[in-house]
Amino acid sequence: MWYVLISFLLELVICQHGEFILGVEHKFGADADWIRRANVILPSIKQSSLPAHNTPQYIPISSNENVEALKSIGGKNDTLYYIRVPHKAVEEGEQLDTNSYVSLVVRACSIVESDLTHSLNIHMDSTGYVTGLSMYSPVEECTGKTTSATSFNTHCSVSFPTVGASPDVHTFIQMKEKEEKKKSEESQDKRSFLAKYWMYILPVFLLLMMSMGGQ
Amino acid sequence: MLARAVLILLLSAVVHSIYEDQIGLYDWHRQYVGAVEHRVADSRAIVVATKKNILAALHPRTGDIIWRHKFKAEDAVSVEPVVCGDEVVTYHSSNRYRHWDILTGMLNLDTRHHEEPEVLFYASLSYEKMIRVTRSTVYWGKHENLGSSHIDIPAEMNLVGHMKLGVKVEVVLSNSVNGQCKIVHFDGNQDSARVADVQVPWNRGQDIKLVTSEESIAGLQGDSIYYKAIGAESFKVAKLSDIGISWSVNSIESAGKSAYIVAGNQLSAVIAVKDGNVRAVKAIGKDVMGQVVGSDHIVLISISQDVMGQVVGSDHIVLVSRPDNTVSLVQLSNGFEAHSFSLGTAGQGRGHVTSLAALASSHPCSLVTTVRIPGLFLAWEDESITVVGNNETCGWIREESLSSVVSATMLDLPASSFIPVNLHKHTNPIKLWTERVSLQLLDLQKLINLYFGTAVSEVSPEMERDSFNLNKLIFTVSTGGKVHVLHSNTGRIIWSRYLDNISPLSNGQYQVHLVRSASHYPLPALVAVFGTTLDSKKAVLTVLNPLDGSLQYQQEFDSKLAQVQLTSVEDNEFSKILLILTDDKQVHTFPPNLHELVEHIPLYFTLVYPEQMQLKGFVLHGTKAEETWSTHLRGDKVLAVNSKATNDAVYSQGRVLGDRSVLHKYINPNVMAVAVESGSADKGQVDIQLYDMISGTQLYHSRHKQYSGPVHLLVVENWLLYHMWCSKLRRYEVVVVEFFLPSAPNTTDFSSLFPRTPSFSIQQAYIATSPLSAISVTTTLKSITNRAVLFAESSGRIALVPKALLDPRRPTMPTAEDRQEQLIPYTPQLTLSPMSYVTYNKTLQDIRGMITGVTGLESTSLLFAYGTDLYFTRVTPAKTFDMLNEDFDYYLIGLVLLGLLFGTIVTQALAENKALNKKWK
């Protein structure tokens, strides 16, 4: 209960500073209701060179995590764990379009068997819209293992689209120029004047010698 | 220097090319023109202008294309072409007219008249004189400088039409307000035109429908008919009841020459203006259209159920009636039937006739030989073109629907009629045993019969699988619903079937699935085709046997199609079960009502909603579909979506690097790539996103600023390749992204619902030389052969680019390790040698798509490209490493082996002798 209050207060405080908030909701099985599991507070929705600006604050609402319920259904191999966030991060006072979510499913047992440890990555674009989610946990298959963990251990991160590749003409030209330079240097004759033109000098020299000898 | 040597070495190893004598050995190219819109039949050529914006001349006797020209959509031929002397004159919607040599297709004249309004029609006046009529002016003169003489049409006058007899032409103008009528007379022998006012006998206050046929003009007002033959000074009038039409009629259509069809609500009639009088020739059913061809016969072919007409020859009407396509020739003077014959196979399963013309009288095809009535040129609803006469051998058929193929798939031929592997999946072992024994007895009997030559094999050898499985059946579906099955070796049409009740799905294509392969003889192979109904846009499933074209099953659903999935579950007759989800969230199966067989397997699928810019994942448990994940695509337009092929086999899980470490490929079979465009053309951006179709995990997102579509996407193995337009630098670019895992995966099976480690990507871009119209990748049996990407350029060539050239790890500065790994040094421009084009010197018109298929040979992949033309070839991305050369010397090898064997025996005997002698010593 305290957590809820604190997180609510935090939300208020942070939002006043122009920060953005995303509510993470989850459910187990298709027929269950969505419950807010945590809030993610983003210092900025712009991609920044400072890593701190891209690190979100993850505030879990532990009363809503329903870990026990998850453990109880975790054994059933085909139950899915659903997680979703609104498709836009909202500032304070901004109305949320509640029908638009970005969601994801994984096997519920994979969450349980990894001792509730997982990483959640929110893919955003620079306008504050969420384009996708990804969630990773180290479990590769369900063995029926149970866990003693009582709360989620979530590592939350935000990522932005990578800049698409474009043909690297610049480096290529630089390399070509370097190669050309090297080649022209190689082809330059570094021999001495005498070594280069001995075939012209020698006959003249001989001729001179001979004519000198004749005298 | 070393780098260059490596480059040359590598490039020479991957080039795919053929020798001159191999042209046409493994490939074939079929050219088409499209559905006929305008046509003119001459004795030298049948000139057609088609819906594909093509102007072509077809050989009247064989149907071969003599020449063919393609125009842009805004430059298409808009009125009937006219043959004038040795030239064909065409008028184009860009207000341009062109004169072509009829025999060679050479462009003799190309002019544009900016100030002129749209041309309404052309008419030839004499061998080299023509008339061109626009909305405001009538021009005449020699066709090369048409426009020197002209008469303006007064603004209040409308054009009715023109009449032509020999060198005389009359252009009729009328004033719809006061009923005034003017006629412009032309005479081909004189270089003048004369305008005359004509007295009109009809009531000027009332509406009159005036129609010109070739040699006369007629009008219908109330219960009277007004008519005038060419050359006559004034109109005449006749009461309909006086000429024998007792019922009321409300429309009049020209049927060519001097014949008309007057139609009422129930009955129609053919009337003819002849010798200054009008007569009713024959009463016919309603909904009839007609056209004149020869001088005095009429062919009637119904556009609904009954007949349609056209005048041919000198005194007969031809009536073609459906559904049996019987042609009957009726005398124009007395209405008697002179001759009747069936169009036979030429008209079967082609829908109704859309256009017809008589052939030139010199054509060997004739309807009646005794009076020389020329044969007919018919264009059908299914886009085919036929030339028919009274005997079937003189005509020809062109299946022009093959120019609009939208979906194609390659199918294996049945293994052999001697290996029926079909056994019903009985649970009863006794039944299973008896069935197997009886089938084997049947085989034995067949074998004995064949051995003694008493029975011929039921299946022609062409329809049996060859030892390397190189020959396939190509199953194609065209826009109009025509299905063709082609033999991949020759391109020959094995069968065609016109499904006249279906149209493509909302993406403009049909969904085609192979439900049962041909290896379960005697059970028929099954191919399911999904389309929509023409009117209600509901989903239709048609199941055909690909070997003979017989219809096996047809079902119409209550709603639109949402998704079809071919499961790996088989019923007890070896049919794979198709799960069909319709828009009303109903789940159907084919074969029908087999839900219980697929209930236990959860089936995941993804739907793209381009209007809402959404992707949604669903899971199907039995008959219930539940939404699992969803996402919003940021942008304005979904440009392209691509997912991996279901049979995409991956041979190697990793790549060995120069330092002997391994780079592990991220291989996820459920990957889907989406390209989204946003913003305006020059400032826009393209987002490429990769999602897992089952869990909804976003795997990759890259953004290209100042780029725009069209985007061609390809997702194969662990790589993604896309081609798009860079609006900033005005060029096309190709980007390749490969995905790898940071560490080796512990298990080899992959599950999307257990996402373990994020992959990392390496990307590289190249400058592409040309725009593309399609993109594909080679597929081989086990995927051991290196892949090659197939680029279908808009210019009509197909390039085979080895994957090694599109490797994001190509180094700019190659190190020793890179060289050891045989990485080609990076060059920003993707230059292709002329030898990398699999189409060598051929140009394919408008390639729309390509499919590739596997063969029994690991080195060889098959390629079928479709567009206006069809092209098929074999491609070998790493040369034919598993085949002996054609010039392999079997005799020499055999001789050497025999010699060696002989030598061994001789030397062995000698050695034994020597050893024995040694022991005696």
Side-chain angles (χ1 to χ4, degrees), chain B residues 614-691:
Chain B
Q614 271 191 329
L615 292 180
K616 277 186 181 174
F618 294 89
V619 62
L620 201 67
H621 288 287
T623 55
K624 206 170 105 204
E626 283 163 10
E627 187 182 319
T628 49
W629 64 272
S630 71
T631 191
H632 286 259
L633 299 165
R634 288 283 297 150
D636 304 327
K637 199 176 149 203
V638 177
L639 289 177
V641 179
N642 193 293
S643 58
K644 277 195 190 176
T646 46
N647 55 356
D648 186 42
V650 180
Y651 182 71
S652 152
Q653 297 284 324
R655 267 185 77 161
V656 182
L657 305 186
D659 60 359
R660 299 280 164 252
S661 61
V662 177
L663 206 52
H664 297 277
K665 290 178 183 173
Y666 174 72
I667 293 159
N668 179 346
N670 312 313
V671 165
M672 177 167 95
V674 190
V676 179
E677 187 181 41
S678 47
S680 63
D682 273 1
K683 289 271 159 67
Q685 61 184 26
V686 173
D687 282 73
I688 308 285
Q689 292 170 66
L690 234 67
Y691 290 94

Side-chain angles (χ1 to χ4, degrees), chain A residues 91-162:
Chain A
E91 263 184 296
E92 195 209 4
E94 207 177 328
Q95 271 302 312
L96 180 71
D97 179 8
T98 47
N99 291 325
S100 289
Y101 288 94
V102 174
S103 53
L104 173 84
V105 288
V106 291
R107 281 249 189 276
C109 62
S110 78
I111 301 279
V112 177
E113 293 193 13
S114 64
D115 294 332
L116 306 178
T117 307
H118 53 252
S119 65
L120 175 70
N121 193 351
I122 302 166
H123 300 265
M124 299 187 74
D125 76 350
S126 51
T127 49
Y129 281 92
V130 179
T131 57
L133 291 174
S134 55
M135 195 167 169
Y136 296 98
S137 59
V139 175
E140 285 170 353
E141 57 188 335
C142 284
T143 52
K145 199 184 108 189
T146 51
T147 177
S148 54
T150 50
S151 65
F152 285 111
N153 177 11
T154 309
H155 175 258
C156 182
S157 60
V158 172
S159 65
F160 293 93
T162 54

Side-chain angles (χ1 to χ4, degrees), chain B residues 294-441:
Chain B
S295 67
D296 237 3
H297 287 86
I298 189 160
V299 185
L300 297 164
I301 299 172
S302 167
I303 47 170
S304 62
Q305 231 0 275
D306 312 322
V307 274
M308 175 172 175
Q310 177 106 20
V311 176
V312 289
S314 58
D315 202 25
H316 293 84
I317 305 173
V318 178
L319 298 157
V320 181
S321 48
R322 285 212 308 156
D324 54 343
N325 287 311
T326 323
V327 178
S328 44
L329 204 63
V330 175
Q331 270 198 339
L332 210 53
S333 49
N334 51 23
F336 290 150
E337 192 172 295
H339 185 69
S340 165
F341 66 95
S342 172
L343 277 178
T345 50
Q348 232 151 49
R350 300 188 185 279
H352 61 72
V353 172
T354 53
S355 146
L356 76 161
L359 299 167
S361 53
S362 59
H363 195 276
C365 264
S366 62
L367 294 179
V368 186
T369 32
T370 47
V371 280
R372 282 276 343 136
I373 295 169
L376 295 172
F377 167 88
L378 303 167
W380 299 82
E381 193 189 9
D382 74 337
E383 304 190 348
S384 57
I385 303 169
T386 58
V387 157
V388 291
N390 62 349
N391 65 345
E392 280 186 27
T393 49
C394 74
W396 45 261
I397 299 168
R398 283 188 71 85
E399 292 286 358
E400 287 304 330
S401 53
L402 281 171
S403 70
S404 53
V405 170
V406 284
S407 303
T409 181
M410 280 186 211
L411 309 172
D412 285 347
L413 284 158
S416 161
S417 52
F418 285 115
I419 324 161
V421 281
N422 163 52
L423 292 172
H424 285 73
K425 279 183 182 165
H426 291 303
T427 41
N428 187 347
I430 299 165
K431 241 178 172 178
L432 203 69
W433 183 79
T434 48
E435 193 166 315
R436 200 186 70 228
V437 168
S438 64
L439 278 168
Q440 280 166 346
L441 281 174

Side-chain angles (χ1 to χ4, degrees), chain A residues 27 30-31 34 77-78 80 82 87 99-107 109-110 119 123-127 129-142 160-169 171-172 174-176 178-180 183, chain B residues 1 4 602 604 614 619 621 624 626-632 634 687 689 691 694-705 707 722 731 733 735 745-747 751-759 763-767 812-814 826-828:
Chain A
K27 66 173 181 176
D31 305 321
W34 290 100
N77 202 19
D78 58 344
L80 296 175
Y82 295 71
H87 100 290
N99 291 325
S100 289
Y101 288 94
V102 174
S103 53
L104 173 84
V105 288
V106 291
R107 281 249 189 276
C109 62
S110 78
S119 65
H123 300 265
M124 299 187 74
D125 76 350
S126 51
T127 49
Y129 281 92
V130 179
T131 57
L133 291 174
S134 55
M135 195 167 169
Y136 296 98
S137 59
V139 175
E140 285 170 353
E141 57 188 335
C142 284
F160 293 93
T162 54
V163 179
S166 68
D168 192 2
V169 185
T171 326
F172 181 74
Q174 262 184 348
M175 196 204 70
K176 281 277 149 201
K178 215 184 264 175
E179 219 170 63
E180 288 284 304
K183 209 187 273 171
Chain B
M1 202 56 217
R4 192 165 299 171
Y604 296 88
Q614 271 191 329
V619 62
H621 288 287
K624 206 170 105 204
E626 283 163 10
E627 187 182 319
T628 49
W629 64 272
S630 71
T631 191
H632 286 259
R634 288 283 297 150
D687 282 73
Q689 292 170 66
Y691 290 94
I694 290 177
S695 68
T697 304
Q698 190 177 42
L699 303 166
Y700 178 74
H701 184 186
S702 76
R703 178 165 286 181
H704 290 265
K705 283 187 174 156
Y707 280 75
Y722 50 95
R731 67 188 182 195
E733 287 180 12
V735 181
N746 290 346
T747 53
S751 171
S752 283
L753 292 170
F754 290 98
R756 285 163 292 201
T757 29
S759 59
Q763 53 174 355
Q764 201 167 63
Y766 314 91
I767 302 165
T812 321
M813 304 270 197
Y826 178 74
T827 47

Side-chain angles (χ1 to χ4, degrees), chain B residues 38-159:
Chain B
H38 304 290
R39 79 280 176 272
V40 53
D42 188 79
S43 61
R44 291 159 290 180
I46 298 169
V47 180
V48 291
T50 66
K51 286 181 184 154
K52 293 248 177 274
N53 308 323
I54 284 173
L55 178 74
L58 305 177
H59 195 285
R61 300 193 183 187
T62 60
D64 295 336
I65 297 172
I66 306 172
W67 49 266
R68 183 174 74 158
H69 296 294
K70 163 89 185 175
F71 303 102
K72 286 179 182 160
E74 63 273 13
D75 196 22
V77 175
S78 60
V79 297
E80 296 272 315
V82 172
V83 176
C84 191
D86 290 334
E87 287 187 333
V88 181
V89 181
T90 54
Y91 176 71
H92 300 255
S93 47
S94 56
N95 215 357
R96 208 169 249 291
Y97 29 96
R98 299 189 170 101
H99 294 211
W100 312 89
D101 189 291
I102 193 165
L103 291 173
T104 62
M106 266 197 326
L107 182 64
N108 291 343
L109 187 75
D110 183 351
T111 48
R112 189 192 169 117
H113 282 240
H114 295 279
E115 72 288 354
E116 247 182 58
E118 196 189 336
V119 170
L120 297 175
F121 65 86
Y122 278 96
S124 60
L125 201 56
S126 65
Y127 189 74
E128 50 185 10
K129 283 181 195 161
M130 283 184 63
I131 302 171
R132 182 173 77 235
V133 181
T134 71
R135 210 163 284 287
S136 64
T137 323
V138 180
Y139 299 91
W140 77 95
K142 286 203 172 165
H143 65 259
E144 62 268 16
N145 59 351
L146 201 61
S148 52
S149 324
H150 63 91
I151 294 173
D152 290 336
I153 299 174
E156 69 278 6
M157 299 298 275
N158 289 324
L159 184 86

